[in-house]
Structures are given as structure tokens and as C-alpha cells.
Amino acid sequence: MQLQQLASFVAVAETRHFTQAAERMRVAQPSLSKQIKALESDLGAPLFSRARGNVTLTPAGEALLPLARRILADADTARQEVAQLAGLRRGRVRLGATPSLCAGLLADVLARFHRAYPGIELLVEEGGSRDLVRALARGQLDLSLVIMPLQSDDPSLVTEEILRENLVVVSNSHEPSKGPYMEIEDLRGRPMVMFRRGYDLREATLAACRQAGFEPRFAVQGGEMDAVLRFVEAGLGVAVVPSMVLDGRPGLSGTPLVPPGLSRTIALAHRKDVEPTTAAQAFRETLLTFVVEAGHEGMLPQGVELIAE
């Protein structure tokens, strides 16, 4: 008994017509008839009555039909499961993330995913949210971690908020602390290390300073996250950065801004009109499981709050 024979049998049983069944199966009618005869021979009983041009099921055919449908359904499920597993043994995930997330949270998530799916190639593009949103819209990324609100009105993008993170004023750890909190006003006249133009944190910092009535004084500007942190560590000035990037940097000290201070929301984004690949879906599940577990166990970096549940 072969799956192809069972599929041909079900096609004839449902159409009650050999020619129509052959068209459905995309085979020649003589070939389909030969498969049915072989199946009847194998089972030792006729499956169809062919009287006066009418095709009806025999008692044996009636008994076989639900079993054949179940066997074919199970075979299809097995094919899907194997295809899913094969897809997670090889393939790729194209992920976008902001530099602060690459320097903080993302490394642990990537490590967990790689342990679970070592055959999946991980391609990470680091950039500002605006650049990442454009890359998503062009189909160059499968998923991206971005900062909300999106600087885009593209309706094809779907976002899923997962974390809220406080922004802190970071300085060289040898500088004397001025208290447990700072106000934006405290940055007036202080030399600042500033990110490059178009960087989300640059825009947030400039907006906060201008709202307080002053223009910040730049000691140096134009860097990415790692460069900004190194410049601050070298004593060139202070910067406003996400709290999570301070983990593992003893040369830096972060001071929260007066509550409610400044914060940002981190979201996972993908295109609405493109179904994520199996590998991309697995990465999303890995990421969400990681942050939810870390949030419930109190293991998120200081100043980071769980949104996803």
C-alpha cells in the first residue's frame, strides 16, 4: 500500500469520477486506474462498483475511506514537521538592532538561540532605528529591535513592545557624584559627548535640553555607542545613554535623571505583509522567552522594565 495509491483512492471516492480524479491528481486516467487496481489487489477486495457509468464505494471502500484520509493527513503532518525541523537545522535570521542593544541585551539572546539552533546563520545589522525601519521596509531584514515611536508611518510594519528602559547621564567613574539623581538642567554648560546625526539618542537628548531652555555644549560628537562610551571613560565629557550599556564597564558611572526622567521603549518589528520564516519565528520566541524569564527573575539590567508578558 502506497500513499500515492491512497491519495488516488480518496480522489475517486470524493469525485465519484475517474477522469475528474485523474485531473485532480494531475496524472493520466490509465495511470490512476492502475493505482486503484493495485491497491484493490493488495487489499484483496474491490473498492468501487462501476455500474452503468456510476462509481460508488463498496463496503470495503466505505471502511477504507476514513482510514485513508487519516493516513494521508498524518503523512502531511509528518512532512510539515520534518520541513520545520529541517528549516531550523539550516537557514538564516537577518536581525537589526540598535548599537546599545548589541552592546547589552542582545548578546545573551543570540547565545541562547545559537545553542538551540546551531545550524542557523545569524546576520546582525547594527544601526539607528530610522535606518533599521528602512531596511525592514525594503525586505533586507526579517526582524528588528527598534525604539518607539517609529520615525515612520509605513503601515506594512508591525511592532511588539517588549521593554522600557531608563536613560541615564553617564560620566567617568572617578568624577565625584553630585547626588543620586540629576536634572536635565544640570547638563547646561557641561561638556557633552554626542552621538552622530540621525541617532535616536542624539535626538532625544537635544529635545530634552531644548525643552529645558538651553543648547548643549559639545566636547566631541559624531560617535556610535562604543565610541561615545570610550570618550566618556576618557574624561572628555558626559553623555545620555541607556542604562543597560553600563553593565561590565567599571570605568563608567550612571546617574538617573530626576523621575520620571527620560526613558525609551524597545520593540520588535517585522513586516506585516511577509510571513516570518520558521527560523525568524523561532528567534522571536527565544527573545521573548529570554526577556520574560529575566523580568520575572529580576535579572534584567538596572533601569530596564519588562513590558511583554
Side-chain angles (χ1 to χ4, degrees):
M1 186 185 303
Q2 300 175 4
L3 291 176
Q4 185 69 19
Q5 294 172 345
L6 290 176
S8 295
F9 162 71
V10 170
V12 175
E14 291 178 347
T15 62
R16 302 300 171 99
H17 199 285
F18 275 77
T19 301
Q20 292 178 11
E23 291 173 354
R24 178 195 288 190
M25 297 295 297
R26 297 182 180 178
V27 298
Q29 181 177 333
S31 176
L32 181 137
S33 297
K34 185 176 180 180
Q35 291 178 17
I36 297 297
K37 288 180 180 179
L39 181 60
E40 290 175 327
S41 176
D42 188 41
L43 293 174
L47 300 173
F48 296 103
S49 296
R50 306 165 181 84
R52 302 189 187 94
N54 293 325
V55 177
T56 58
L57 286 167
T58 64
E62 294 281 2
L64 177 62
L65 184 57
L67 297 174
R69 284 173 171 157
R70 189 182 313 154
I71 291 170
L72 292 172
D74 288 344
D76 186 62
T77 299
R79 277 192 293 268
Q80 294 294 329
E81 290 292 329
V82 170
Q84 293 262 340
L85 291 173
L88 294 177
R89 284 199 297 267
R90 57 184 181 273
R92 69 178 183 183
V93 176
R94 302 171 302 168
L95 176 70
T98 62
S100 58
L101 292 172
C102 289
L105 170 78
L106 191 57
D108 291 334
V109 178
L110 292 176
R112 175 180 289 196
F113 183 80
H114 182 67
R115 286 194 298 270
Y117 309 107
I120 302 298
E121 181 183 11
L122 292 164
L123 303 176
V124 178
E125 179 172 333
E126 188 176 353
S129 285
R130 297 182 186 187
D131 295 335
L132 297 175
V133 165
R134 283 193 290 268
L136 271 175
R138 289 194 297 262
Q140 297 171 337
L141 296 173
D142 300 310
L143 303 167
S144 187
L145 288 162
V146 297
I147 306 304
M148 299 295 288
L150 291 182
Q151 303 299 317
S152 170
D153 56 359
D154 190 336
S156 69
L157 297 182
V158 178
T159 58
E160 186 174 10
E161 296 184 356
I162 56 175
L163 296 170
R164 184 174 294 110
E165 179 180 26
N166 292 329
L167 301 181
V168 299
V169 178
V170 64
S171 60
N172 184 292
S173 60
H174 297 300
E175 289 189 15
S177 173
K178 295 186 177 182
Y181 293 101
M182 290 181 66
E183 297 182 0
I184 288 292
E185 176 65 29
D186 295 329
L187 299 177
R188 184 189 295 267
R190 292 193 68 173
M192 294 190 66
V193 178
M194 184 55 69
F195 297 95
R196 62 171 172 80
R197 295 184 185 277
Y199 213 84
D200 301 296
L201 287 169
R202 177 190 179 97
E203 305 308 321
T205 303
L206 287 176
C209 291
R210 288 166 180 166
Q211 187 173 0
F214 69 94
E215 288 290 325
R217 172 189 164 201
F218 298 145
V220 60
Q221 59 177 317
E224 299 280 352
M225 180 60 68
D226 282 343
V228 165
L229 295 177
R230 291 292 300 274
F231 294 158
V232 172
E233 200 168 21
L236 287 168
V238 299
V240 176
V241 301
S243 56
M244 74 169 64
V245 302
L246 300 184
D247 278 5
R249 292 182 179 266
L252 296 173
S253 176
T255 304
L257 290 159
V258 173
L262 294 177
S263 65
R264 65 180 193 168
T265 299
I266 300 166
L268 185 65
H270 66 86
R271 287 179 59 181
K272 182 189 302 183
D273 57 341
V274 177
E275 184 71 19
T277 65
T278 302
Q281 292 177 25
F283 183 85
R284 173 189 172 275
E285 292 170 4
T286 300
L287 170 67
L288 293 180
T289 299
F290 180 91
V291 297
V292 168
E293 288 178 356
H296 291 166
E297 295 170 7
M299 299 299 292
L300 288 172
Q302 185 176 0
V304 179
E305 174 189 356
L306 178 69
I307 298 176
E309 288 292 347

